Amino acid sequence: MSILYGKDILRTDTLSDKELELILSTAARFESELGAKGRLDNMAGQVMATLFFEPSTRTRLSFESAMLRLGGGVITVADPKTSSAAKGESLADTARTVAGYADVIVMRHPQKGSAQEAADAVEVPVINAGDGAGQHPTQALLDVYTIQKEKGSLEGLTVTLAGDLKHGRTVHSLVYLLVRFGVRFLFVSPPSLAMPAQITADLRKTGANVSESTDLAAAMRESDIAYMTRIQRERFADPAEYERLKGSYVIDMAMVRQAKPGVVILHPLPRVDEIATQVDAYEGAAYFRQTANGVFIRMALLALVTGRD
Ligand code: NCD
């Protein structure tokens, strides 16, 4: 059994280097096996439950696609208004119930810490598909997998993370993986949406080179990777503040032409207006390749935590 058998995947800072390596190599193996065979049967007879209490297109569907491509079955609550949570059931009780129906639970919930709460209530592995403004570890894993494929290696790259670094859970998870490869970080955001101080402190403690600015064009001139994020409207207490900050950063072709040659542009999606659609034709625009990679990473995670790798 793998070192991840029976484990929850809740955050990236507690993943060991060995676990990270295993997830990436298992994803690569599944990608090539799937290319050769079309469908695998590692998870035949197993059931995955997806419990999504917040909107999702990519994360839920790519988890479901991953499970189906591994020969497993899927049950889902995609609309919380139709589940007993709407009657006031606690998260722990919902999780305990679902654990009776499934071998692995994938959950997204608006509250930070919710995935941990569900995991504490059940024996089956819980995978965090986003807990409020907390973490989104499976997205970060597929981001790293994508950078590896696009650039060959992550060692020594300069990576810009731009947009809503305060509320963006994907960047909160991603930095704890990138820091292991000695990347240089350029954080670009409006001052009020800066990366949480605890996270920058964690990074600097490891000796990482972290700079913060508000100038995206300048950062792009030095960057191998530009990771854009959406201003997270649903996390703002004050709608006027969102209106003031939306559209703060937009990558267009003029900016790409001034950027470091070969810059790879990533985005967890959905995009609102952070990347002009004219950029989609640029060969370094990797965001749709990035979403496709999500299936291989999620296949790896499902198989590893259930011992079906
Ligand atoms: C992200 C999320 O849900 O945090 N989306 C995703 O899973 N690809 C990013 C976002 O919503 O902005």
Side-chain angles (χ1 to χ4, degrees), residues 69-245:
R69 289 182 195 286
L70 285 167
V74 172
I75 54 176
T76 188
V77 175
D79 178 1
K81 289 194 277 303
T82 67
S83 86
S84 283
K87 300 180 188 170
E89 183 168 58
S90 74
L91 197 52
D93 282 2
T94 300
R96 281 187 200 107
T97 303
V98 174
Y101 309 146
D103 303 288
V104 54
I105 297 175
V106 178
M107 195 181 84
R108 170 172 290 185
H109 192 280
Q111 203 180 304
K112 189 173 168 180
S114 51
Q116 180 73 59
E117 199 180 316
D120 289 344
V122 299
E123 294 295 318
V124 303
V126 172
I127 301 179
N128 178 10
D131 62 321
Q135 288 225 5
H136 192 350
T138 71
Q139 177 70 45
L141 287 159
L142 79 90
D143 296 339
V144 167
Y145 187 69
T146 301
I147 297 172
Q148 215 171 46
K149 279 174 71 176
E150 296 286 327
K151 286 286 186 192
S153 149
L154 288 92
E155 296 298 331
L157 296 180
T158 295
V159 179
T160 287
L161 301 177
D164 187 347
L165 306 183
K166 176 183 179 190
H167 303 111
R169 56 194 172 196
T170 73
V171 291
H172 298 167
S173 287
L174 181 55
V175 293
Y176 288 106
L177 298 182
L178 293 179
V179 71
R180 302 163 197 231
F181 299 92
V183 310
R184 178 165 74 108
F185 292 103
L186 304 179
F187 293 162
V188 177
S189 72
S192 61
L193 299 180
M195 185 67 85
Q198 179 62 55
I199 296 182
T200 43
D202 283 350
L203 298 175
R204 288 196 171 114
K205 234 183 292 163
T206 70
N209 184 335
V210 181
S211 327
E212 296 180 90
S213 85
T214 56
D215 188 344
L216 179 59
M220 296 267 297
R221 285 196 284 275
E222 298 178 39
S223 294
D224 303 291
I225 304 288
Y227 188 99
M228 294 300 293
T229 64
R230 167 178 76 86
I231 309 289
Q232 309 271 302
R233 180 211 295 258
E234 67 275 29
R235 312 270 181 240
F236 282 75
D238 176 4
E241 181 67 358
Y242 170 75
E243 290 301 322
R244 194 174 68 78
L245 292 170

Side-chain angles (χ1 to χ4, degrees), residues 46-61:
Q46 298 256 308
V47 174
M48 171 187 76
T50 49
L51 277 182
F52 277 64
F53 298 97
E54 265 193 353
S56 169
T57 302
R58 277 151 289 271
T59 305
R60 185 170 65 82
L61 291 182

